Amino acid sequence: MASQSPIVDIHTHVYPPSYVDLLKSRSAIPYIRSFPPSPDLRLVILPAEDTASTSRGRPVGPAYYDITEKIKFMDLHSIDISVISLANPWLDWVPESEAADAARRINDEVDAECARFPGRLFAFGTLPLSGGSEVIVREIERLKTLTYMRGVILGTTGLGKGLDDPELLPVFEALQNAKLAVFLHPHYGLPSQVWGERAGEYGHVLPLALGFPLETTIAVTRMILSGAFEKVPELQMILAHSGGTLPFLAGRIESCIEHDAHLKAKGRLGAGRKTVWEILKSNIYLDAVIYGEVGLKAAVQASGEDRVMFGTDHPFFPPLEEGTEKWASVETNYTAIKGALESSKEGMQGVLGSNAVRVLNLSI
Amino acid sequence: MASQSPIVDIHTHVYPPSYVDLLKSRSAIPYIRSFPPSPDLRLVILPAEDTASTSRGRPVGPAYYDITEKIKFMDLHSIDISVISLANPWLDWVPESEAADAARRINDEVDAECARFPGRLFAFGTLPLSGGSEVIVREIERLKTLTYMRGVILGTTGLGKGLDDPELLPVFEALQNAKLAVFLHPHYGLPSQVWGERAGEYGHVLPLALGFPLETTIAVTRMILSGAFEKVPELQMILAHSGGTLPFLAGRIESCIEHDAHLKAKGRLGAGRKTVWEILKSNIYLDAVIYGEVGLKAAVQASGEDRVMFGTDHPFFPPLEEGTEKWASVETNYTAIKGALESSKEGMQGVLGSNAVRVLNLSI
């Protein structure tokens, strides 16, 4: 472990045992079950995966629920620290009356997993979103007291109406005051009609490759338009998958805002408005899970080399070939970082780990 | 006019008078009408615009239908040549029995407008998509014989099932054989539920800033997954708005394809498959309508500085302030090109015009 320049993975998921038990008890998405004749358990989390195809969902092995597998994966890929988060769809689907308890149980369990490997694991907590604002804010207060919690992972639905919902502002304020970063992560994708009649022939590619990043882009753009980043000015959002497509579209979004007659008529274009570019450099951080130098360069240029952070998306995108050791999905992201930042040693070290140490205060 | 290094606008729309008459005769989208008490005509082309707000649709002035206004705009912004195209939604909505005639009439009218300013105007034709494959292929054959036609503009619905529809392959083959490029342009956006309950407060920003480029990204990715670029290997596609988000997401799309168990099981990952990166550098061209240096650099890196081409999206995104001369939307794109290509004079000249002259054969 190179203490001068650690490698930190901020996008890496866990399904702690109690969450796996919850999913096994269900028959609707999200659920875990076997599909006879195979005895192997499979995890189905997306509607588009829940249809007859040669591969419904994905196999669930120990990498999903055994934290020692995470450590082995980290060692294999020279990762010093991981900031683990519950995988989607989190607790979005839990009945209101069970939300508070489920969040406490999961967050305590994840914090305890971190404690087994002190200094190597930190975590983003999970919010009891279906419990209502008061329950959520109470859990945020509690998360501050847990040793390894450094933020929360959040989907795009908020309290049910998206992240531009004014009723979410107290939650964002509580997160700002607790200095807990929000790791914004997609799950719901886009309505399936956009993929067309032949989508099933393309496996999971369309919902995973496009649905996820486009969902994130829409969610954060709605937040920008709602004024959330002016109303909660110190809110810190880490966007999964390098912002979805926000770095690439920032110019178009900003141009459309400036040219919008309705926004102008409503006085929304005046002083006090943060531009998309300003928000990218003050409220937003991006992970480096983009699988290519072109995208990573855009992310670094849009947000700054001090605001982009390495991630793996483990345990997803494992090697397809049996017996392969290193994961191609991880190596592709390493290669992209090295290519995009070859002229800036400091920038490269920042993206690989020191940005995460600084932004998320990764010391015990 | 600097003949050594012309400036060419490949993304610039017209509503020839016969098309305006068609729209004035309608009461459903797309239509042109006035909203009393104002006598001014407004154009409504998107469902999201067709709701009560302070600005339904957009004002329709002579810039939309008077070709001499196009020339004035070109002179104002130092544009030597424009490749004009009918604006969305083209003839997608025309009844089957009228499609062939409408396309002939519009294409002849546009060709005649080009003839009024020889050497300064070329055009992308419009296909009679609702007329069926045979009618479409016949019009492609005819477009080859028109003096100023250099390609066709195409929406994302194809024959009604999207661009991954195998029944479109004869159309793509006819375009390939006629050496007519396809200018892929969005219109339909995304299902309105993704914008949320508050979308109306944001004017037209969400459908324009996100709906358009995300629609294009989905359409071209579906084409890639369908194998269209292997089956019609010389097909040349120019993607509006710098590819939607394809340059940024190419790495993720390619990674998701490589990791897809279904595609692997079906033998779709073997030799003969063109990667997304290969398609970007062999079948795809990108316009430079991206309003920012970050996005433009990604477009240039993804597709090559010899494959990106300046555009304005005229007459859309006009100055909001009365009395402004130069259009901010155009200047933003010029600035982005100059910033992204400051180290490559040849690349800058290419993007500003010489790529378009070469790719579209812009001489008479």
Side-chain angles (χ1 to χ4, degrees):
Chain A
M1 177 166 164
S3 64
Q4 284 309 298
S5 179
I7 294 181
V8 181
D9 179 0
I10 66 140
H11 188 155
T12 178
H13 299 297
V14 292
Y15 286 83
S18 66
Y19 192 74
V20 170
D21 289 343
L22 267 178
L23 294 186
K24 280 183 184 167
S25 72
R26 292 171 52 81
S27 57
I29 288 174
Y31 65 82
I32 289 176
R33 56 165 283 205
S34 62
F35 294 90
S38 169
D40 300 339
L41 290 174
R42 296 184 77 88
L43 164 71
V44 185
I45 51 178
L46 299 174
E49 296 173 346
D50 196 26
T51 52
S53 84
T54 55
S55 52
R56 190 184 294 211
R58 55 190 61 64
V60 176
Y64 281 72
Y65 48 77
D66 180 350
I67 197 68
T68 65
E69 292 291 321
K70 182 76 73 188
I71 299 291
K72 281 187 209 163
F73 167 82
M74 291 165 63
D75 291 342
L76 178 64
H77 292 98
S78 309
I79 295 164
D80 299 298
I81 301 173
S82 286
V83 185
I84 59 178
S85 50
L86 187 64
N88 49 303
W90 316 288
L91 298 171
D92 288 12
W93 48 276
V94 170
E96 179 177 359
S97 61
E98 300 170 26
D101 280 352
R104 265 195 303 272
R105 193 169 61 243
I106 299 274
N107 287 328
D108 285 346
E109 193 171 358
V110 169
D111 199 59
E113 287 189 328
C114 293
R116 289 177 61 190
F117 300 92
R120 295 208 67 189
L121 296 178
F122 292 87
F124 295 122
T126 305
L127 297 180
L129 285 178
S130 54
S133 295
E134 279 181 41
V135 166
I136 300 168
V137 170
R138 259 203 312 276
E139 184 64 10
I140 291 170
E141 295 296 316
R142 207 183 70 85
L143 284 172
K144 275 169 58 179
T145 68
L146 299 187
T147 310
Y148 299 98
M149 290 293 166
R150 292 298 185 269
V152 298
I153 189 165
L154 187 70
T156 62
T157 48
L159 304 174
K161 296 182 175 180
L163 301 186
D164 55 350
D165 180 357
E167 297 195 18
L168 256 186
L169 288 172
V171 173
F172 288 141
E173 281 160 8
L175 290 162
Q176 171 187 260
N177 296 340
K179 296 192 191 301
L180 291 172
V182 179
F183 180 33
L184 177 62
H185 194 289
H187 168 71
Y188 298 93
L190 295 178
S192 61
Q193 74 234 52
V194 304
W195 311 131
E197 290 180 7
R198 302 185 66 199
E201 299 173 30
Y202 313 143
H204 303 162
V205 174
L206 288 168
L208 278 181
L210 302 187
F212 268 27
L214 305 189
E215 175 192 357
T216 303
T217 309
I218 293 167
V220 71
T221 304
R222 284 171 53 182
M223 280 185 72
I224 291 170
L225 289 166
S226 76
F229 294 107
E230 286 87 358
K231 291 168 188 158
V232 192
E234 307 294 325
L235 184 63
Q236 302 292 292
M237 302 276 295
I238 303 167
L239 307 187
H241 313 116
S242 297
T245 65
L246 186 66
F248 190 76
L249 288 181
R252 182 172 177 89
I253 298 166
E254 184 60 24
S255 177
C256 284
I257 291 172
E258 288 171 352
H259 282 84
D260 196 82
H262 178 83
L263 293 181
K264 187 186 178 202
K266 294 286 176 189
R268 299 275 309 277
L269 302 182
R273 180 176 80 88
K274 286 183 181 174
T275 68
V276 180
W277 298 112
E278 285 166 352
I279 291 168
L280 270 163
K281 287 191 186 288
S282 60
N283 296 98
I284 285 177
Y285 301 89
L286 305 171
D287 77 20
V289 182
I290 186 73
Y291 310 100
E293 193 177 314
V294 172
L296 190 68
K297 277 186 178 165
V300 165
Q301 287 159 16
S303 206
E305 63 182 30
D306 58 339
R307 303 181 76 84
V308 177
M309 302 183 244
F310 175 71
T312 64
D313 219 347
H314 180 263
F316 299 100
F317 304 106
L320 270 186
E321 305 292 340
E322 297 281 336
T324 311
E325 250 222 326
K326 291 209 175 176
W327 292 29
S329 56
V330 178
E331 296 301 305
T332 303
N333 279 320
Y334 270 138
T335 302
I337 292 170
K338 285 165 187 165
L341 290 156
E342 62 182 349
S343 62
S344 168
K345 190 182 172 201
E346 195 183 335
M348 195 187 299
Q349 290 182 347
V351 173
L352 287 172
S354 63
N355 292 342
V357 170
R358 185 190 77 249
V359 171
L360 299 172
N361 185 27
L362 299 184
S363 55
I364 12 179
Chain B
M1 178 168 165
S3 63
Q4 285 307 298
S5 179
I7 295 181
V8 181
D9 179 0
I10 66 139
H11 189 156
T12 179
H13 299 297
V14 292
Y15 286 83
S18 64
Y19 191 74
V20 170
D21 289 343
L22 267 178
L23 295 185
K24 281 184 183 167
S25 72
R26 292 170 53 80
S27 57
I29 288 174
Y31 64 84
I32 290 177
R33 55 165 281 203
S34 62
F35 294 90
S38 169
D40 299 338
L41 291 174
R42 294 184 78 88
L43 165 71
V44 185
I45 51 178
L46 300 174
E49 297 173 347
D50 195 27
T51 52
S53 85
T54 55
S55 53
R56 189 183 295 210
R58 57 192 58 67
V60 176
Y64 282 71
Y65 47 77
D66 180 348
I67 197 68
T68 64
E69 291 292 321
K70 182 76 72 188
I71 299 291
K72 280 187 209 161
F73 167 83
M74 290 165 63
D75 291 341
L76 179 63
H77 292 97
S78 309
I79 295 164
D80 299 297
I81 302 173
S82 286
V83 185
I84 59 179
S85 50
L86 188 65
N88 51 303
W90 315 287
L91 298 172
D92 288 14
W93 47 278
V94 170
E96 179 178 359
S97 61
E98 298 170 26
D101 280 353
R104 265 196 302 271
R105 193 169 60 246
I106 300 273
N107 287 328
D108 286 346
E109 193 171 359
V110 169
D111 199 61
E113 288 188 328
C114 293
R116 288 178 60 192
F117 300 92
R120 294 206 71 187
L121 297 178
F122 293 86
F124 295 121
T126 304
L127 297 180
L129 285 178
S130 55
S133 295
E134 278 183 41
V135 166
I136 300 168
V137 170
R138 259 204 310 277
E139 184 64 9
I140 291 170
E141 294 295 316
R142 206 183 69 86
L143 284 170
K144 274 170 59 179
T145 69
L146 298 186
T147 309
Y148 299 98
M149 289 293 165
R150 292 297 185 272
V152 298
I153 188 166
L154 186 71
T156 62
T157 48
L159 304 174
K161 296 183 175 180
L163 302 187
D164 55 350
D165 181 357
E167 297 194 18
L168 256 185
L169 288 172
V171 172
F172 289 142
E173 280 160 9
L175 289 162
Q176 170 187 260
N177 296 340
K179 295 191 189 307
L180 290 171
V182 179
F183 180 33
L184 177 62
H185 193 290
H187 168 70
Y188 298 93
L190 294 178
S192 61
Q193 74 234 52
V194 304
W195 311 131
E197 288 180 7
R198 302 185 66 201
E201 298 174 31
Y202 313 142
H204 303 162
V205 174
L206 287 169
L208 278 180
L210 301 187
F212 268 26
L214 305 189
E215 175 192 357
T216 303
T217 309
I218 294 167
V220 70
T221 305
R222 284 171 55 181
M223 279 186 73
I224 291 170
L225 289 167
S226 76
F229 294 107
E230 286 87 358
K231 291 168 187 155
V232 192
E234 306 294 325
L235 184 64
Q236 302 293 292
M237 302 275 296
I238 302 166
L239 307 186
H241 313 116
S242 297
T245 65
L246 186 66
F248 190 76
L249 289 181
R252 182 172 177 87
I253 298 166
E254 184 60 26
S255 177
C256 284
I257 291 172
E258 287 171 352
H259 282 83
D260 196 81
H262 177 82
L263 292 181
K264 187 185 179 204
K266 293 287 176 187
R268 297 275 310 276
L269 303 182
R273 180 176 80 89
K274 286 183 180 173
T275 68
V276 180
W277 297 113
E278 286 167 350
I279 291 167
L280 270 162
K281 287 191 186 286
S282 61
N283 296 99
I284 285 176
Y285 301 90
L286 304 172
D287 76 21
V289 182
I290 185 74
Y291 310 101
E293 194 176 314
V294 172
L296 191 67
K297 276 185 178 165
V300 165
Q301 286 158 17
S303 206
E305 65 181 31
D306 58 338
R307 303 180 75 83
V308 178
M309 304 183 242
F310 175 71
T312 63
D313 220 347
H314 181 263
F316 300 101
F317 306 106
L320 270 184
E321 306 293 339
E322 297 281 335
T324 312
E325 250 222 326
K326 290 209 177 179
W327 292 30
S329 56
V330 178
E331 296 301 306
T332 303
N333 279 320
Y334 270 137
T335 302
I337 292 170
K338 283 165 188 165
L341 290 156
E342 62 183 349
S343 62
S344 168
K345 190 181 172 203
E346 194 183 335
M348 193 187 301
Q349 291 183 346
V351 172
L352 287 173
S354 62
N355 291 343
V357 170
R358 184 190 76 249
V359 171
L360 298 171
N361 185 28
L362 300 184
S363 57
I364 13 177

